[in-house]
Amino acid sequence: MNKLLTVQQHSRLGKEVLRDCNLASITDQQVEELKQSLWEHGVIVVRKQKLTASQLKDFAIKTFGDSTIGRRPKPLDPEIAPDLQSPGVSILGNPKGLSGEVAGKIAWQWHHDKDHLPKTEGLDMNALYVVMLYGVSIPEEGTDGQPHTTEFLDMVEAYHNLDPQHRQQLELLSMYHLSPISPQPGVEIPRKLHPIVSTHKVTGRYCLYLGSDTSILKGLENQPEVAKQYWQELFEDILDCTPVYAHIWQPGDIVFWDNSQVMHTGMPYNANKYKRIALRVGVMANS
């Protein structure tokens, strides 16, 4: 799989917003500005933040609504600073120190985040699911020697970059999507259909939605290898005609992305050499 172009500046993705704003004391007007920027740009960043996990969760609730999806209270980990822990906030990286054990390696492949939507009854797969990732401690470089990044694909742009005949074919197709979160033993893994081409609930733009390589094209439910090959070939077609935007992390960045509009992948780093701590919150947005 060859990336034709990786860009650090993108015509739409990665807009910096709310400069000099402390998100712990965000105003209602700033909330609306942030949300409108997110729907318009797909990926936005607020820099120079210094928040605890509880403050990040409170900000997420105030901004996007009080979603209880995925908020599972659990005891504090004594090996991790209390300020980094709060129900509903995930810790990615190696917060316990230099070690090959990294939380969140599952994100080191291209995917959309809609973690709980497939297994939550009554939720539309096209619902607005926003993820925010707060970079507390950033590695100096990735395994390729370049700055530490997260990469994004604009799936609105990707739709328009495909030739018209291919777009028309995709508009007739849907895929089944599974939650990446493993179920308890004996629990059947639920899945929901999502059209490959959908209409964004706020902007009305056409977007491609692929989930991840575990997605199954409707009609190929009993042919998992064929389904995986179809997904990979479709994704390669998209990657060949759509530039990849790389967000270069700085400590204190909070990057927000709208999973109806973008795919993303985390990038590997040497966890035996560098410490990485990122706090992640995923919320159902109330538009």
Side-chain angles (χ1 to χ4, degrees), residues 200-254:
H200 192 273
K201 286 186 175 294
V202 175
T203 68
R205 294 170 174 151
Y206 290 124
C207 313
L208 297 176
Y209 183 81
L210 301 188
S212 69
D213 65 1
T214 60
S215 303
I216 300 171
L217 184 69
K218 185 179 180 181
L220 297 180
E221 296 90 327
N222 298 319
Q223 298 175 269
E225 294 304 318
V226 177
K228 184 177 286 287
Q229 181 178 355
Y230 176 85
W231 190 96
Q232 291 172 338
E233 291 177 354
L234 175 56
F235 180 71
E236 288 177 10
D237 288 343
I238 290 167
L239 199 60
D240 283 344
C241 68
T242 309
V244 172
Y245 164 64
H247 174 77
I248 298 177
W249 284 92
Q250 299 176 25
D253 283 359
I254 302 183

Side-chain angles (χ1 to χ4, degrees), residues 34-35 38-39 60-69 114 117 123-124 126-132 200-202 256-260 281-287:
L34 184 146
K35 290 167 70 174
L38 178 59
W39 307 140
I61 292 171
K62 178 176 181 178
T63 305
F64 294 104
D66 188 5
S67 171
T68 58
I69 293 178
K114 287 197 175 180
L117 271 63
L123 276 179
D124 176 5
N126 201 33
L128 297 171
Y129 188 74
V130 174
V131 167
M132 59 199 76
H200 192 273
K201 286 186 175 294
V202 175
F256 303 76
W257 60 92
D258 171 8
N259 286 281
S260 291
V281 178
V283 293
M284 290 295 305
N286 54 14
S287 74

